[in-house]
Amino acid sequence: MVRRNEIRAGETAVQAPAATDAGLVFIGRIRTPWTDRLECPRQGRQDGPTCRIEVFEPWVAALDALGEYERLEVLYWLHESRRDLVRQSPRNDGVARGTFSLRTPVRPNPIGTQIVTLVRVEGANVFVRGLDCLDGTPLLDLKPDRSAFTPLAPRQPGDDQVGDTA
Amino acid sequence: MVRRNEIRAGETAVQAPAATDAGLVFIGRIRTPWTDRLECPRQGRQDGPTCRIEVFEPWVAALDALGEYERLEVLYWLHESRRDLVRQSPRNDGVARGTFSLRTPVRPNPIGTQIVTLVRVEGANVFVRGLDCLDGTPLLDLKPDRSAFTPLAPRQPGDDQVGDTA
């Protein structure tokens, strides 16, 4: 079962440094059917319910041309997650493994990333399928899925760099 | 050509709100061959140079079991990017489109995400191919690529929820 915020047997918490190296601005809010972490999907599915991503001003103009893409990458802030566990026990069975080997929301920087299917853009609202986050989750970013996007800028040297230099 | 920080013809800057809604902690540093944005690849390639991701304490213990995955998702902070453009001109030709329709580093929250191929984990260092960021880029997170990861936690209600409810 997904945790609320307890520490489980076998897990390791650390004294985390202050999270003041950079600051985020919440650029919108995500509306989903899930109001409790114990009901959320663990991973979104592309045939899941339509969710509404509401974009705040002054960022609405940045949605221009987003509708050209079938698949988007969504970044959001997992605002209810603790940030201090380095080893976690997903099955709550006393067996723990490193946080970076898991896609758990509990991480030093609780940023969720998901690939979603675009349904439509309507004013400041982006309707998508494939999300798995709580209703009210703060939005951090939207971008075309990398596999669907070809850079529009001209080529530059690093684009052709392969292998290792001596 | 990738920009340093100029505003180009046709682009729109906004008065961005203060970025104080949430705070990030830099959990490591990424070492790449690129020291200038004008040389970086626009998108990393899986046959690109090996790069070294150095993880800081107290997060090194969180690397446990990461080595089981061939492909990782890396999140990093694009520390040299401006954050106030809502319309951008990738070709610098006077034609602009919305920031969210681009994978440019210039975004309200300049978080880069990349899928990389794991070469090896060695102590606090993770060697990977596929990055496209500047040398010295701050690390935000590491997780298994979503397509390679199956949740370890037991199923829960949202996992099976498809389509839209009335």
Side-chain angles (χ1 to χ4, degrees):
Chain A
M1 189 182 278
V2 169
R3 87 180 67 223
R4 285 211 174 85
N5 259 327
E6 70 281 9
I7 298 189
R8 298 167 171 173
E11 295 188 330
T12 309
V14 295
Q15 187 71 37
T20 52
D21 292 325
L24 296 171
V25 56
F26 294 162
I27 62 166
R29 192 71 58 177
I30 303 178
R31 296 298 167 191
T32 77
W34 305 293
T35 54
D36 188 311
R37 251 185 289 185
L38 308 188
E39 288 169 3
C40 266
R42 296 163 308 159
Q43 290 192 309
R45 36 193 300 169
Q46 303 303 311
D47 59 356
T50 302
C51 299
R52 182 170 65 87
I53 301 172
E54 181 193 343
V55 174
F56 301 153
E57 289 294 359
W59 311 112
V60 176
L63 290 172
D64 168 61
L66 186 71
E68 292 174 17
Y69 294 92
E70 273 175 46
R71 299 211 309 169
L72 306 177
E73 186 172 354
V74 184
L75 275 65
Y76 41 91
W77 186 247
L78 300 156
H79 57 300
E80 292 195 7
S81 295
R82 61 185 304 148
R83 305 173 64 167
D84 60 346
L85 298 189
V86 291
R87 294 177 61 85
Q88 300 181 46
S89 178
R91 293 200 184 92
N92 200 2
D93 59 0
V95 180
R97 45 191 284 147
T99 290
F100 299 141
S101 79
L102 297 165
R103 291 187 64 92
T104 162
V106 174
R107 355 191 30 94
N109 293 302
I111 299 167
T113 70
Q114 186 56 289
I115 304 296
V116 300
T117 302
L118 178 63
V119 176
R120 67 182 185 280
V121 183
E122 218 176 80
N125 296 291
V126 183
F127 294 87
V128 304
R129 293 185 190 271
L131 283 172
D132 53 18
C133 59
L134 280 175
D135 186 48
T137 296
L139 179 69
L140 297 179
D141 204 359
L142 288 169
K143 31 192 163 189
D145 177 18
R146 63 175 63 73
S147 60
F149 181 74
T150 307
L152 303 181
R155 297 192 73 74
Q156 54 181 48
D159 289 338
D160 300 308
Q161 195 170 337
V162 298
D164 297 315
T165 47
Chain B
M1 186 184 279
V2 170
R3 87 181 67 221
R4 285 211 174 86
N5 258 329
E6 71 281 8
I7 298 188
R8 297 166 171 174
E11 295 188 330
T12 309
V14 294
Q15 188 70 39
T20 52
D21 292 325
L24 297 172
V25 56
F26 294 162
I27 62 166
R29 193 69 61 177
I30 303 178
R31 296 297 168 192
T32 77
W34 305 292
T35 54
D36 188 311
R37 252 185 288 185
L38 307 189
E39 288 168 2
C40 266
R42 296 163 307 160
Q43 289 192 311
R45 36 192 299 168
Q46 304 302 313
D47 59 355
T50 303
C51 300
R52 182 169 65 87
I53 301 173
E54 181 192 342
V55 174
F56 300 153
E57 288 295 358
W59 311 111
V60 177
L63 290 172
D64 167 61
L66 186 72
E68 292 174 16
Y69 294 93
E70 272 175 47
R71 299 211 309 169
L72 306 177
E73 186 172 356
V74 184
L75 274 66
Y76 41 93
W77 187 246
L78 300 157
H79 58 301
E80 293 195 5
S81 294
R82 62 185 303 151
R83 305 173 65 166
D84 60 345
L85 297 188
V86 291
R87 294 177 61 86
Q88 299 181 46
S89 179
R91 295 200 182 92
N92 200 1
D93 58 0
V95 180
R97 47 192 282 148
T99 290
F100 300 142
S101 78
L102 298 165
R103 291 187 64 92
T104 162
V106 174
R107 357 191 30 93
N109 293 300
I111 298 167
T113 69
Q114 185 57 289
I115 305 296
V116 300
T117 302
L118 178 63
V119 176
R120 66 182 187 282
V121 183
E122 218 176 80
N125 296 290
V126 183
F127 295 86
V128 303
R129 293 185 190 273
L131 284 172
D132 52 18
C133 59
L134 280 176
D135 187 48
T137 295
L139 178 69
L140 297 179
D141 204 0
L142 289 169
K143 31 191 162 190
D145 177 18
R146 63 174 63 72
S147 60
F149 181 74
T150 306
L152 303 181
R155 298 191 73 75
Q156 54 181 50
D159 289 338
D160 301 307
Q161 195 169 338
V162 299
D164 298 314
T165 47

